[in-house]
Amino acid sequence: MLWRTGFMLLIFLGSTSSQKQDVSEGDLHQLQADTPRQRSRPPVEPLDFGFVPSGVYGTHAYYEPGAIGVLFHMVHAFLYVVQPNPFPKDLIVTVIQQNMGGIKIEEWRKPENVVLLLQTLYYETGFLVCLVMGCLFLLLLPVVGLFFCACRCCDNCGGEMHQRQRKNADCQRGFYTAALIASSIFITVGVLFAYAANHNVSAQIKSTRRLINTNMRDLKTFANNTPAQIDYLTAQYTTAKNKVLSDLDNIGPLLGGRIHSQLEKEVVPSLDTALRMAGVKVESAIKAMRETKEALGTVGSSLEVLQEGTAKLQASLAGERASLSNTLSDPACTNGAVSQTCNSIRATLAQLAINADFSELPDVSPQLAIVEVLLRTDLSNIVQRGYLSFNDTPKLVQEQTKNIVSGVKGMLDKIGTEIIGFSKMFPIEASLANFTIFLNQGQKKIEAYYPQIDQMDFYRWIGCVCTLCTLVLILAFNTLGLLCGTCGYDKQATPTTRGCLSNTGGNLLMAGVGFSFLFGWALMAVVTTSFTVGGNVEKMVCEPLANRQLFKIIDTPYMVHPAKKNFLPGMLFQNPNIDLTVGSMYRDCYENNGLYHALQLETMFNINSFLNRTVYNKDLANVFDGVRIDLQDIQLLEQEGRDNLVNFANTGLGEIDYTAYLTEVNKGVTMEDLLSFSNELEAKADQLPRGALENALKGHASSIRQIHREQVVPMEQAMKYVRARSSLSQSVKLLQKSSNDLPVKVTNILRAIDAAEYLITHNASHVVNQETNAYMKSLVGYFRQYTAWVQNSLTAEVAQCKPISNLVDTLEIVACSFIVDSVNTFWFGLGGSCLFLIPSMVFSVKLAKYYRRMDTEDVFDDAVNVSCHGEQVFDVHGNLAVVSPPSYDTLTRFPRASAPPQYPGW
């Protein structure tokens, strides 16, 4: 009843045995499950939950018998010789199960029961043999003693007070003396063994009180510490909660730092390459744009210079051509020979004109304006923008999660309240307080029996001592008989003339024999009874209890109760199907595990599933799952810049008529060299007759030279014209080339920028999402640490049930080591002494002949040869006679009995 009440009061949630809850681990959100990733997530920082407060149990359920342990080992060895068979677990289980309804005589006639009986007898063969020998000793010893006494009364069996004279009488007496001494020593050793065992029982009763007190104290410590341990478990939820809140408050630096670290390892190298390529392409494009701008500017300025210079030159040449045409219209040119010259000059007037006409070339000002607008876009800062997007990641994380942090704080506070409230739902403290009161009352009741136990132990001790005193009395007779007989023995004295001391020794030895017959059977009855009971208890209870084989019998299904598969859970929880056994509970308690694990309370209430549902519930999982860090808005180039690049590609450079430019640029300034034209004109004028026409033509030649000298030569000398033409030519060629390359370069720029942005928004975002999930998993890891710590603490630290195993070990120590081993040692010593009583009686009877005074003795007469040298002896009547010494062996020839002489002083 004590065990059952104690267990029922100590079950944490026993009152909820009918409210078992099935928990599915699938209730946890997908975020809580591990997802395969290309790299391992960072380890979760271990939390320090401290140590669960635990009491110190003072019971040391270990017994070291000391010197008497040698005797215990001897008894165990003897019992092993008597019963070497292993523990018959299967036989006991079968016998008990077949006789649960009661033992009926007619049932034993069945073959299976007969077989069981024979197996039982075979197992008990050693004990049965010893029991039969003890019973024979018990029955035969008084019968033999009775016949021995009757026989001696008839002067037989050594009862005749006459001793034969033999040659080896001294040797026989010495042998009998030594044998009796040896027998007495063995009897003494057995008495000492028995007395040591008897004294050990009394001495260990005081140790039993100490064990009872320490076990009670440990049970009280267990009951008092359990509520504080449970409160400590619930309070440590704050440690996990505070850590989660701390990490959430610092989510920007923590998560941003992780993102930075991983981006530096995975994305930044690729981004460096992409941005470097983009940068190179942007720089190349910028250089091309600048060159295009310069080329367009050069074309524009050069075109202005050429148009201005050619306009002046064209005006001068047009005036000179008109003047020369008027001159050739002179009537003098109509004469025969003169007219031919005039006609030839008139035919060359068309050459007096500019060759390149730059006025028809298109203006490039619109294209130049577009290029100037594009160059105002800061394309060179694209690379820096790419890196700045990562440097702002912590701030971005902080901004995007500020609403989530505040929501999680409220949820965690609510969860903590639920856990504390749940721990207070069950009356654990009240139950344990009642259990403590029960222990105090039980201890008082046990202590009330101490005086009665002491009194009973005193009577037991007196009874055992009185039993041993019978052997001590026999030993005293043997010892005194040996002392008196040995000290009073006179070799010169005849058997009829032995002294009083010697005769007393012989009588004491015979008294010892008589007491041996009187008490030996009673002592053997005590030995046989205690051997049968104590030996079987040792082999059937103590040894199986020591090696825990006894638990296997109790734990056999349907062994204790035919309707209950497992005895212990059926008694405690009314559920015999739980796989809980006495052996498993003892092992867990022996290892000082928690009662939650020892009683397998997880089968009734799974605390791990409860914590998973409560500590990390669906709402919290959904909140954590909603944490997303988005880098999609990061742009290396705004839409305006993209439009400018597209506009630049569509500036119309390809629509410019570069052939017309190059054609006009490659033409000469004039259609004919003015200096050559003036020389030819002057030469033709010389062919004309002298006169006004000649002079007029030479004047025109001089004017053309002047135009050449004043306009063409200065322009050529100043290189303006030539440089303008050259620059225009080069710029036109560059623009012609750029008109084909610019769209490709712009496309490459946009592709490079798109690749860099894709790397940021996809690859980098992938890393960010991975780190975000890892960060959320680290937060979940804190809760997992708490639930695992609670589970481990309940298994190994909370309500450690070492006192329960100590109760079993204490019961084993008290029942087996203190009592059974001592009882077995007592009968072992007493039985050995009883066995040595037999040789002691035999040798005492034999030796008493040599010490007791005989009524008659052997005398020898020689009737043939009698001389004066004969010896004088007294006959039985006291008359003096002369006997001559025999000439042959008188000890074996003509013997006759003779009474001892009688003197008046006797």
Side-chain angles (χ1 to χ4, degrees):
M1 190 63 184
L2 172 63
W3 286 72
R4 181 172 182 176
T5 305
F7 283 145
M8 293 301 294
L9 289 175
L10 291 177
I11 296 175
F12 294 133
L13 307 174
S15 61
T16 62
S17 60
S18 62
Q19 301 175 359
K20 294 185 291 182
Q21 303 179 25
D22 296 331
V23 180
S24 175
E25 297 298 331
D27 291 341
L28 298 180
H29 195 269
Q30 185 179 3
L31 179 61
Q32 198 175 3
D34 290 331
T35 56
R37 294 178 298 175
Q38 296 179 353
R39 54 185 175 79
S40 60
R41 68 180 181 186
V44 179
E45 179 183 353
L47 298 179
D48 183 13
F49 295 105
F51 297 95
V52 177
S54 60
V56 178
Y57 298 137
T59 300
H60 298 284
Y62 175 76
Y63 173 62
E64 182 60 44
I68 200 173
V70 178
L71 303 182
F72 293 166
H73 288 303
M74 292 175 61
V75 175
H76 294 163
F78 175 76
L79 289 175
Y80 178 76
V81 173
V82 173
Q83 178 55 280
N85 299 319
F87 180 66
K89 171 182 172 293
D90 298 333
L91 177 61
I92 294 175
V93 171
T94 304
V95 171
I96 293 176
Q97 288 180 342
Q98 290 188 3
N99 295 277
M100 283 186 176
I103 300 177
K104 299 178 181 180
I105 302 300
E106 57 273 12
E107 294 292 332
W108 285 102
R109 297 177 181 176
K110 294 182 178 181
E112 59 271 15
N113 290 332
V114 173
V115 172
L116 290 177
L117 179 61
L118 293 177
Q119 290 177 347
T120 304
L121 294 177
Y122 175 77
Y123 179 78
E124 293 287 337
T125 300
F127 284 101
L128 292 176
V129 171
C130 293
L131 180 62
V132 170
M133 293 175 62
C135 292
L136 289 176
F137 187 97
L138 175 65
L139 296 175
L140 293 179
L141 185 63
V143 174
V144 171
L146 180 62
F147 280 100
F148 181 73
C149 291
C151 186
R152 287 183 67 87
C153 289
C154 297
D155 291 336
N156 293 317
C157 303
E160 182 186 7
M161 298 299 290
H162 174 79
Q163 185 178 17
R164 302 288 181 182
Q165 297 293 320
R166 300 184 184 279
K167 293 173 57 177
N168 59 349
D170 290 338
C171 292
Q172 289 182 353
R173 181 178 61 82
F175 170 74
Y176 293 145
T177 300
L180 181 58
I181 292 174
S183 300
S184 299
I185 290 175
F186 284 114
I187 295 173
T188 303
V189 171
V191 171
L192 292 177
F193 282 7
Y195 180 79
N198 181 46
H199 178 73
N200 185 67
V201 174
S202 299
Q204 297 304 331
I205 286 179
K206 298 180 176 60
S207 299
T208 301
R209 297 180 182 180
R210 178 184 59 81
L211 287 174
I212 292 175
N213 292 333
T214 56
N215 276 280
M216 289 295 181
R217 190 182 308 117
D218 289 347
L219 288 173
K220 294 175 185 178
T221 301
F222 168 82
N224 294 331
N225 287 345
T226 299
Q229 292 172 339
I230 295 175
D231 292 340
Y232 185 83
L233 292 186
T234 57
Q236 286 306 306
Y237 170 75
T238 306
T239 301
K241 182 186 75 172
N242 291 339
K243 181 59 178 176
V244 171
L245 293 178
S246 175
D247 285 3
L248 287 175
D249 289 336
N250 297 283
I251 189 172
L254 291 177
L255 182 54
R258 287 186 178 181
I259 293 174
H260 254 294
S261 177
Q262 294 302 324
L263 287 178
E264 287 177 357
K265 296 178 182 177
E266 300 184 14
V267 177
V268 170
S270 301
L271 184 62
D272 284 340
T273 303
L275 291 178
R276 194 180 306 113
M277 292 175 62
V280 171
K281 293 177 180 179
V282 168
E283 292 296 330
S284 176
I286 292 174
K287 180 180 179 182
M289 292 176 191
R290 290 173 180 171
E291 292 177 351
T292 302
K293 177 188 175 183
E294 292 178 359
L296 289 173
T298 302
V299 168
S301 59
S302 298
L303 188 59
E304 291 178 359
V305 172
L306 292 175
Q307 287 178 347
E308 180 183 358
T310 55
K312 291 180 180 181
L313 183 59
Q314 184 177 9
S316 299
L317 291 177
E320 188 63 30
R321 188 175 57 253
S323 176
L324 183 58
S325 178
N326 291 333
T327 301
L328 293 176
S329 299
D330 189 91
C333 287
T334 59
N335 295 329
V338 176
S339 62
Q340 186 177 0
T341 302
C342 290
N343 290 333
S344 63
I345 293 173
R346 188 178 294 111
T348 60
L349 286 179
Q351 298 178 358
L352 192 63
I354 59 174
N355 192 20
D357 186 5
F358 297 100
S359 60
E360 300 298 330
L361 295 179
D363 189 8
V364 294
S365 298
Q367 289 81 358
L368 180 60
I370 294 175
V371 172
E372 289 177 349
V373 172
L374 180 61
L375 288 176
R376 285 197 294 268
T377 302
D378 190 5
L379 296 177
S380 62
N381 200 29
I382 291 177
V383 175
Q384 296 302 322
R385 290 181 187 176
Y387 291 110
L388 288 176
S389 63
F390 299 113
N391 297 331
D392 291 337
T393 301
K395 181 179 179 182
L396 181 64
V397 171
Q398 194 79 36
E399 289 294 330
Q400 293 184 4
T401 58
K402 60 183 179 180
N403 294 330
I404 296 175
V405 173
S406 59
V408 170
K409 289 181 179 179
M411 288 185 179
L412 295 181
D413 292 335
K414 181 181 178 182
I415 292 172
T417 304
E418 290 179 359
I419 292 176
I420 296 175
F422 177 80
S423 64
K424 301 298 182 182
M425 288 176 57
F426 307 100
I428 298 175
E429 295 185 9
S431 300
L432 293 175
N434 294 333
F435 180 69
T436 303
I437 296 173
F438 169 78
L439 290 177
N440 292 330
Q441 294 176 351
Q443 186 174 6
K444 290 180 181 179
K445 291 180 181 180
I446 293 174
E447 291 175 352
Y449 287 103
Y450 284 166
Q452 299 179 19
I453 294 174
D454 291 338
Q455 187 177 10
M456 294 175 61
D457 179 67
F458 176 74
Y459 292 151
R460 180 206 57 79
W461 187 85
I462 291 295
C464 292
V465 170
C466 291
T467 303
L468 295 177
C469 284
T470 57
L471 290 173
V472 173
L473 180 62
I474 296 172
L475 287 173
F477 283 132
N478 289 348
T479 303
L480 292 175
L482 286 171
L483 289 175
C484 293
T486 303
C487 294
Y489 181 76
D490 185 4
K491 291 184 179 181
Q492 303 299 326
T494 63
T496 57
T497 61
R498 289 171 181 159
C500 181
L501 185 60
S502 176
N503 187 53
T504 302
N507 292 333
L508 290 174
L509 291 177
M510 292 306 299
V513 173
F515 279 106
S516 296
F517 279 114
L518 287 175
F519 298 117
W521 66 273
L523 296 176
M524 183 54 69
V526 174
V527 171
T528 303
T529 303
S530 57
F531 163 75
T532 304
V533 176
N536 278 285
V537 170
E538 172 66 26
K539 299 298 290 185
M540 301 294 291
V541 178
C542 292
E543 284 188 5
L545 185 60
N547 56 27
R548 312 310 170 201
Q549 290 290 325
L550 195 60
F551 292 156
K552 295 182 179 180
I553 295 180
I554 300 175
D555 295 333
T556 302
Y558 308 105
M559 178 67 184
V560 179
H561 195 284
K564 295 181 179 180
K565 179 180 179 180
N566 293 316
F567 156 70
L568 189 60
M571 181 185 70
L572 297 178
F573 312 128
Q574 289 75 47
N575 186 1
N577 294 321
I578 297 177
D579 189 17
L580 173 63
T581 62
V582 176
S584 65
M585 179 181 174
Y586 173 82
R587 285 192 300 271
D588 289 331
C589 290
Y590 184 81
E591 296 173 358
N592 204 21
N593 291 327
L595 194 63
Y596 178 84
H597 178 68
L599 292 179
Q600 298 184 16
L601 294 178
E602 62 271 10
T603 59
M604 302 179 60
F605 183 80
N606 195 323
I607 189 66
N608 192 34
S609 298
F610 165 75
L611 291 176
N612 285 336
R613 292 196 317 271
T614 305
V615 174
Y616 189 72
N617 52 37
K618 289 183 178 180
D619 295 335
L620 189 60
N622 292 334
V623 172
F624 281 171
D625 189 41
V627 176
R628 288 291 181 268
I629 309 301
D630 189 8
L631 299 180
Q632 298 294 329
D633 295 335
I634 295 179
Q635 292 183 350
L636 301 182
L637 184 63
E638 291 80 3
Q639 188 62 37
E640 181 182 358
R642 289 179 176 271
D643 294 340
N644 291 334
L645 283 176
V646 174
N647 293 334
F648 173 69
N650 299 324
T651 51
L653 294 180
E655 299 175 358
I656 299 176
D657 190 0
Y658 297 104
T659 304
Y661 269 93
L662 294 177
T663 300
E664 296 300 326
V665 169
N666 293 329
K667 292 179 179 180
V669 179
T670 59
M671 296 181 67
E672 181 69 26
D673 183 49
L674 295 181
L675 189 59
S676 299
F677 185 83
S678 61
N679 291 333
E680 290 180 359
L681 181 61
E682 188 174 4
K684 289 180 180 181
D686 290 337
Q687 295 176 4
L688 295 175
R690 295 185 182 273
L693 182 59
E694 178 186 9
N695 293 332
L697 290 176
K698 286 184 178 180
H700 285 295
S702 177
S703 298
I704 292 173
R705 287 192 183 95
Q706 185 179 359
I707 292 172
H708 175 74
R709 184 175 58 253
E710 292 179 357
Q711 295 186 28
V712 176
V713 172
M715 290 177 61
E716 292 177 352
Q717 289 178 350
M719 298 298 292
K720 291 181 180 179
Y721 183 82
V722 176
R723 185 167 58 245
R725 288 180 58 196
S726 176
S727 298
L728 181 59
S729 176
Q730 294 177 359
S731 298
V732 168
K733 292 178 180 180
L734 178 61
L735 288 175
Q736 187 179 16
K737 180 181 179 181
S738 299
S739 64
N740 298 324
D741 295 342
L742 280 179
V744 177
K745 290 185 177 181
V746 170
T747 302
N748 291 338
I749 292 174
L750 294 178
R751 287 180 179 176
I753 293 175
D754 289 340
E757 287 183 350
Y758 180 86
L759 188 63
I760 295 174
T761 57
H762 289 80
N763 292 15
S765 295
H766 177 66
V767 172
V768 170
N769 291 334
Q770 283 185 330
E771 288 303 319
T772 302
N773 292 334
Y775 176 77
M776 292 298 106
K777 283 180 169 44
S778 68
L779 298 183
V780 176
Y782 297 137
F783 294 124
R784 285 182 174 176
Q785 287 188 55
Y786 173 70
T787 56
W789 175 78
V790 170
Q791 183 70 25
N792 294 334
S793 298
L794 285 176
T795 301
E797 299 182 56
V798 176
Q800 293 174 323
C801 60
K802 183 68 174 179
I804 297 177
S805 67
N806 284 341
L807 285 175
V808 178
D809 295 338
T810 300
L811 178 64
E812 178 190 354
I813 291 173
V814 173
C816 296
S817 299
F818 290 176
I819 298 177
V820 175
D821 282 348
S822 298
V823 169
N824 289 338
T825 304
F826 181 81
W827 63 251
F828 181 74
L830 186 61
S833 298
C834 291
L835 291 178
F836 280 102
L837 285 178
I838 296 176
S840 174
M841 290 187 292
V842 173
F843 295 135
S844 293
V845 171
K846 292 289 186 180
L847 190 59
K849 278 284 189 178
Y850 292 94
Y851 293 148
R852 297 180 69 189
R853 185 184 298 121
M854 300 289 103
D855 292 337
T856 61
E857 65 179 358
D858 291 338
V859 295
F860 301 93
D861 297 334
D862 191 355
V864 180
N865 296 318
V866 177
S867 64
C868 58
H869 300 288
E871 297 181 359
Q872 294 182 353
V873 298
F874 291 93
D875 59 9
V876 295
H877 303 288
N879 298 323
L880 183 63
V882 178
V883 181
S884 62
S887 59
Y888 51 85
D889 187 4
T890 61
L891 294 177
T892 59
R893 186 180 178 85
F894 305 111
R896 69 182 178 83
S898 175
Q902 300 290 330
Y903 294 97
W906 287 16

